[in-house]
Amino acid sequence: MIVKEEKLTTKIFSKDLEEKPTRDGFGGGIVEAAEKNKDIVALTADLKDSTRLTEFANKFPERFFDVGVAEQALVTIASGIANYGKIPFVTSFAVFSPGRNWEQIRTSICLNNVPVKIVGTHAGLNVGADGATHQSLEDISLMRVLPNMVVISPCDSEEARKATIEAAKTKEPTYIRFTRAKFPVITTQKTPFKIGRAETLWHSKSPQVAIIATGPMVYEALKAAKELDKKGIETLVVNCHTIKPLDIRLILNAAKITGALVTVEEHQIIGGLGSAVSETLSKNFPFPIEFVGVKDTFGESGTKDQLFKKHGLTKEGIIEATKNVIARKSS
Amino acid sequence: MTKEELQKIAREVRKDIVKMIYDAGSGHPAGSLGMADLVTALYFAILNHDPKNPNWDERDRLFLSNGHICPVVYSAMQRAGYFPSSELKKLRKLGSSLQGHPERTKLAGIESTSGPLGEGLAQAAGYALSARMDEKHFRVYVVCSDGEHDEGNHWEAVMFANKYKLSNLTLFVDRNQIQSDGPTEEIMPLNPLKEKYQAFGWNALEIDGHDFEEIINAVNNARSKYQKPTVIICNVIAGKGVSFMEDNYKWHAKKISKEELDLALKELK
Ligand SMILES: Cc1ncc(C[n+]2csc(CCOP(=O)(O)OP(=O)(O)O)c2C)c(N)n1
Ligand SMILES: [Mg+2]
């Protein structure tokens, strides 16, 4: 059952569920944040419109800067701006930032510990036709490994808006990944959001498996939970929007209740949510885990739906993993 | 091949480009159309290559650094005989050898995977250096865009090519004056570009990138230079051939509607 306190949209399983790219939520969120805080500035590397900074640039032209196609300069300039005392948001496609400029982020932002907010759009396979070069499947790993870095992967455009506003308030270096393609908007303005706190969105009476999902895969996980419920397989679905710091308490608790986990992400399993959860869990209990995610390969051109199907990032893929983990649990 | 013959091929290449991007439902029309003449000249008058034997050891190498304009290269390769024309319709589709950005492991004749900007010249420089070590006689050509000059990686390679006097390396710059967010001189001014290369020790030429004679003369000039890499700055019109796309950065990346396709094909007749 959907957890009432989460105030998800009532249309959640209906056909007319609204769909938006999560980058749209960023575009709205940064304008809201900047209206309240004049220290917020934004920089892009020749991708103003694609990363949804156009509204910000029109409203606050004196706080908007285009560095050209120069991602290493993008984050190091932002480091200087943050070091001075402002809050810079820097935008590009995730493959280029934080992909291309990793060491600059490591030293000038994380080791310096200054509040640069890195916005990576076009994260994941949903990029589609542009192909492997543009489908970032490694950004969570790259950012998660850095001390001081906070890593957030919002599940829809509304959560993306909240994540942007909340990130603008903190002193930590922060990475947020966003989608290019449209995904269902499942949360509402009233849905709770706190950086570092995962939310349980689905809770059957006596769950046998906990499905820990992040980003747009959260909705697929909910659909899987609903279908599994009909077949008498009870689950928990957790929206793990913050990958670092991980909500260890909630995940350990979900593991204790269920005794088996499935992680789901639109990202490499290596270094991603799957790794983060299993690192935590293996320290505490030996539990069976199944991982739904990209299995150490690159993407390619294709539609979002074709690619999700090919890599098992679907309701069906999650159902299969859930059944597999239950089988392992009882064997 | 005569100038007229090359012009005729380039016109067909432009038609292919708009059709392919229309079929794919996404892509980068302006950059691809602007480089149709130069890329046609490369495949039909400049490169020493064998389309039926794409891995021929003595072939000239072409590195496309601004991978997003790959439709122009795919079309020219197809017309030169690398693969059947039926493939063009598969651009950007699942399982295709014509990926949205070109991949070395997916299509024979693509020397290196590209799309992420600013990496091509450095790779070509490494290749040219190795070829010289082994006393190979083929030439290494690179096509890169003006927008890529915003990347440090590009200028790092410019210095490297000068230091090691890579005269077997020739760089064509797609100087169409636009990038993703607007005109290059507004987003990140590059001028004076030719003088920059000269200051970095290069043999620098500037030509009309739509004029086949100028293209061929410049390539011959590059071949005759000792001790220096050559850059040929090709002044081109973004979107060339389709009036409503010309000089308009909004056509950097944009899908083409059916009406726009029909209009474009009419103009390219
Ligand atoms: C490293 C990197 N950063 C950003 C991008 C996204 N991008 C693709 S094309 C482009 C504009 C580059 O300018 P140019 O190649 O001159 O564009 P064109 O003339 O083809 O419109 C940008 C920013 C990219 N492909 N690679
Ligand atoms: Mg350009």
Side-chain angles (χ1 to χ4, degrees):
Chain A
M1 268 80 20
I2 293 283
V3 177
K4 277 219 185 67
E5 292 70 32
E6 292 291 329
K7 310 265 191 251
L8 300 184
T9 171
T10 50
K11 291 195 208 157
I12 187 141
F13 293 122
S14 82
K15 282 239 160 63
D16 56 345
L17 187 55
E18 186 190 14
E19 294 199 338
K20 279 186 182 175
T22 70
R23 58 182 161 148
D24 286 11
F26 162 69
I30 188 172
V31 169
E32 278 185 59
E35 275 161 355
K36 297 209 180 81
N37 183 353
K38 65 171 182 27
D39 281 336
I40 290 174
V41 302
L43 298 89
T44 188
D46 196 24
L47 288 169
K48 177 174 77 176
D49 214 42
S50 304
T51 62
R52 296 296 186 262
L53 272 181
T54 304
E55 191 187 343
F56 180 95
N58 291 339
K59 281 211 165 126
F60 309 104
E62 70 296 339
R63 287 199 249 162
F64 169 76
F65 308 94
D66 198 327
V67 304
V69 198
E71 296 77 13
Q72 297 170 80
L74 177 76
V75 292
T76 36
I77 292 165
S79 164
I81 292 173
N83 194 340
Y84 174 90
K86 295 185 187 288
I87 310 273
F89 278 76
V90 296
T91 76
S92 181
F93 296 163
V95 255
F96 309 129
S97 176
R100 172 163 298 196
N101 47 19
W102 183 83
E103 188 279 330
Q104 282 91 344
I105 293 171
R106 179 180 186 269
T107 308
S108 82
I109 297 173
C110 290
L111 197 50
N112 267 343
N113 202 12
V114 291
V116 175
K117 311 297 172 176
I118 299 160
V119 170
T121 69
H122 294 55
L125 291 169
N126 71 80
V127 163
D130 272 341
T133 54
H134 285 53
Q135 294 164 353
S136 179
L137 301 173
E138 303 82 10
D139 48 303
I140 292 176
S141 323
L142 288 174
M143 292 297 98
R144 191 168 85 75
V145 75
L146 293 175
N148 294 333
M149 184 63 88
V150 171
V151 180
I152 308 174
S153 158
C155 72
D156 66 13
S157 70
E158 173 56 22
E159 189 166 272
R161 184 186 69 85
K162 287 184 196 134
T164 304
I165 292 169
E166 291 309 308
K169 294 177 189 162
T170 72
K171 291 255 175 291
E172 277 86 43
T174 306
Y175 171 57
I176 319 180
R177 82 192 304 244
F178 300 92
T179 69
R180 183 197 82 93
K182 289 179 184 173
F183 286 96
V185 185
I186 57 175
T187 65
T188 65
Q189 284 202 4
K190 296 204 174 102
T191 305
F193 178 85
K194 191 164 175 272
I195 294 173
R197 197 184 72 198
E199 301 289 335
T200 304
L201 304 186
W202 176 281
H203 203 312
S204 300
K205 255 196 208 106
S206 39
Q208 303 157 259
V209 181
I211 303 172
I212 318 277
T214 194
M217 299 315 296
V218 170
Y219 183 60
E220 287 301 310
L222 286 172
K223 286 197 295 186
K226 188 175 171 227
E227 196 161 318
L228 286 163
D229 201 58
K230 278 192 220 143
K231 294 180 180 152
I233 298 173
E234 301 198 16
T235 62
L236 272 182
V237 175
V238 174
N239 172 12
C240 191
H241 53 66
T242 306
I243 291 161
K244 191 182 180 186
L246 197 65
D247 190 343
I248 295 173
R249 215 174 50 98
L250 187 140
I251 289 170
L252 288 184
N253 198 37
K256 248 188 249 166
I257 297 171
T258 61
L261 293 184
V262 172
T263 63
V264 193
E265 62 200 302
E266 191 193 0
H267 184 275
Q268 302 285 0
I269 293 164
I270 298 177
L273 173 71
S275 287
V277 168
S278 59
E279 284 159 18
T280 302
L281 222 66
S282 59
K283 245 193 290 186
N284 295 279
F285 332 86
F287 269 153
I289 313 182
E290 289 286 321
F291 306 101
V292 176
V294 178
K295 298 178 175 66
D296 199 20
T297 69
F298 289 110
E300 67 196 289
S301 292
T303 66
K304 176 190 100 183
D305 291 345
Q306 287 170 331
L307 295 171
F308 276 32
K309 195 166 164 214
K310 180 165 175 179
H311 292 267
L313 303 181
T314 55
K315 178 182 77 180
E316 290 73 23
I318 298 169
I319 290 173
E320 193 186 317
T322 307
K323 289 181 174 168
N324 288 346
V325 84
I326 290 173
R328 286 176 52 202
K329 191 174 152 183
S330 44
S331 68
Chain B
M1 209 170 259
T2 67
K3 189 170 145 183
E4 286 69 31
E5 285 170 313
L6 289 169
Q7 280 166 341
K8 213 171 137 199
I9 298 170
R11 198 169 322 123
E12 296 306 312
V13 167
R14 288 195 163 91
K15 287 188 210 164
D16 286 346
I17 292 170
V18 289
K19 282 192 237 166
M20 288 165 79
I21 295 177
Y22 167 76
D23 283 333
S26 62
H28 300 78
S32 307
L33 288 167
M35 289 300 273
D37 299 309
L38 189 272
V39 172
T40 298
L42 275 167
Y43 279 91
F44 291 90
I46 298 168
L47 291 179
N48 184 24
H49 66 139
D50 177 2
K52 296 292 171 229
N53 187 9
N55 296 322
W56 175 41
D57 196 49
E58 298 305 315
R59 73 189 183 279
D60 288 338
R61 274 34 170 202
L62 172 63
F63 285 78
L64 176 69
S65 185
N66 47 338
H68 62 279
I69 71 162
C70 57
V72 65
V73 169
Y74 291 153
S75 163
M77 284 176 78
Q78 193 281 312
R79 288 183 177 278
Y82 279 85
F83 52 84
S85 63
S86 52
E87 288 300 301
L88 295 183
K89 267 197 162 338
K90 299 186 193 153
L91 171 71
R92 295 183 153 248
K93 305 242 164 86
L94 189 70
S96 173
S97 54
L98 309 190
Q99 289 290 298
H101 293 83
E103 284 185 41
R104 178 177 184 270
T105 61
K106 298 216 160 137
L107 182 63
I110 295 295
E111 302 290 355
S112 181
T113 298
S114 62
L117 301 170
E119 300 181 4
L121 180 64
Q123 294 176 57
Y127 204 106
L129 179 78
S130 307
R132 192 177 63 192
M133 286 165 75
D134 286 359
E135 293 174 25
K136 298 277 185 190
H137 293 296
F138 61 78
R139 298 194 58 82
V140 179
Y141 294 100
V142 192
V143 170
C144 84
S145 68
D146 42 9
E148 291 191 89
H149 288 74
D150 298 357
E151 290 282 0
N153 199 158
H154 182 80
W155 292 103
E156 293 162 26
V158 168
M159 290 191 279
F160 177 89
N162 169 56
K163 177 182 174 191
Y164 289 100
K165 301 184 169 49
L166 298 177
S167 54
N168 55 347
L169 182 71
T170 303
L171 170 66
F172 298 97
V173 178
D174 167 9
R175 183 68 172 119
N176 65 5
Q177 307 279 341
I178 63 160
Q179 57 194 103
S180 179
D181 283 351
T184 55
E185 297 315 286
E186 280 174 32
I187 300 303
M188 187 51 68
L190 300 176
N191 288 334
L193 192 55
K194 184 176 157 189
E195 287 79 355
K196 283 194 172 102
Y197 276 98
Q198 283 168 336
F200 278 79
W202 282 53
N203 175 38
L205 309 170
E206 190 166 0
I207 63 164
D208 174 353
H210 301 305
D211 184 318
F212 288 101
E213 266 168 41
E214 288 194 31
I215 294 170
I216 310 273
N217 288 340
V219 168
N220 288 336
N221 174 299
R223 282 191 181 124
S224 68
K225 275 280 161 204
Y226 290 98
Q227 306 281 351
K228 266 181 194 234
T230 295
V231 59
I232 303 171
I233 298 170
C234 303
N235 289 313
V236 295
I237 296 169
K240 169 84 173 171
V242 178
S243 60
F244 57 93
M245 294 183 187
E246 285 188 1
D247 273 333
N248 185 352
Y249 77 88
K250 300 226 157 97
W251 280 96
H252 159 75
K254 192 159 143 44
K255 71 175 190 194
I256 297 176
S257 71
K258 182 71 176 63
E259 295 75 62
E260 287 160 348
L261 172 72
D262 293 342
L263 257 172
L265 289 177
K266 214 158 124 193
E267 289 190 17
L268 290 167
K269 267 257 164 65

